Amino acid sequence: QVQLQESGPGLVKPSETLSLTCTVSGDSVSHNHWSWIRQSPEKGLTWIGYIYKTGTTKYNPSLESRVTISVDTSKNQLSLKLTSATAADTAVYYCVKSSRSRFDPWGQGTLVTVSS
Amino acid sequence: DIQMTQSPSSLSASVRDRVTITCRASQSINTYLNWYQHKPGKAPNLLIYGAANVQSGVPSRFSGSGSGTDFTLTISSLQLEDCATYYCQQTYTGTPYTFGQGTTLEIK
């Protein structure tokens, strides 16, 4: 059974980098697509991007200039970095296995607030 | 980006009712359409993929249909545990994946 668990700071200051980690169990991050998605009351669910086979990435054009998704195969983790954070980046962030266009399963999500 | 519009935004129904939620895409997405159920404090759960394929482990009362721009999620006989918010998502190749705004389902 594949399980995903997000972790990282719950509070980020404006202009700083938002960094999150997702630990995967029951599957290898070296295989399949792995996505990050966020949810806010204002914008609903937003797909941020995915990484495939440890190297290929595809990002939402609306965030592409600030986003980096990577994997650490030794720890079986994926990570998300979002630079120049603003209040608009306040959201619950989910990591998701996104293989063959099926987004399943999802992690429980982690709330990140951008505030001074 | 492809815009996904769900209707209604919320609805209230009784146990054993048949419930239908619709999702419309701003352009044709073939059958690249998923449905999710989301309960507060829990991870969203994939119900339907490819517009009409029921994900393993999902009760048979859930079904999906449609192609092109118009899609429906149907719950054939509503149960108490179906109280949740439902989202559609398009995964059409070459575009940013986008979601509907959600439909909140309440049990009367």
Side-chain angles (χ1 to χ4, degrees), chain A residues 16-19 38 48 63 66-68 80-85 89 93:
Chain A
E16 294 189 345
T17 297
L18 184 159
S19 296
R38 70 184 185 183
I48 299 169
L63 296 167
R66 300 193 291 131
V67 173
T68 302
L80 169 71
K81 292 191 188 302
L82 184 65
T83 61
S84 304
D89 296 315
Y93 286 76

Side-chain angles (χ1 to χ4, degrees), chain A residues 33 35 37 39 45-47 50 58-62 94 98 100-108, chain B residues 1 32 34 36 38 41-46 49 55 87 89 91 94-101:
Chain A
H33 290 75
S35 285
I37 290 170
Q39 184 176 30
L45 287 162
T46 301
W47 171 74
Y50 70 63
K58 186 172 177 65
Y59 301 127
N60 190 319
S62 68
Y94 297 96
S98 48
R100 292 173 292 165
S101 295
R102 301 181 212 179
F103 284 58
D104 179 74
W106 297 50
Q108 292 279 10
Chain B
D1 294 3
Y32 290 94
N34 298 331
Y36 301 89
H38 191 193
K42 295 202 167 184
N45 184 41
L46 175 66
Y49 64 93
Q55 175 70 348
Y87 295 94
Q89 176 207 25
T91 60
T95 67
Y97 304 139
T98 50
F99 294 84
Q101 80 280 14

Side-chain angles (χ1 to χ4, degrees), chain A residues 9-30:
Chain A
L11 181 64
V12 174
K13 288 184 168 51
S15 80
E16 294 189 345
T17 297
L18 184 159
S19 296
L20 296 175
T21 298
C22 174
T23 301
V24 178
S25 58
D27 202 343
S28 170
V29 296
S30 300

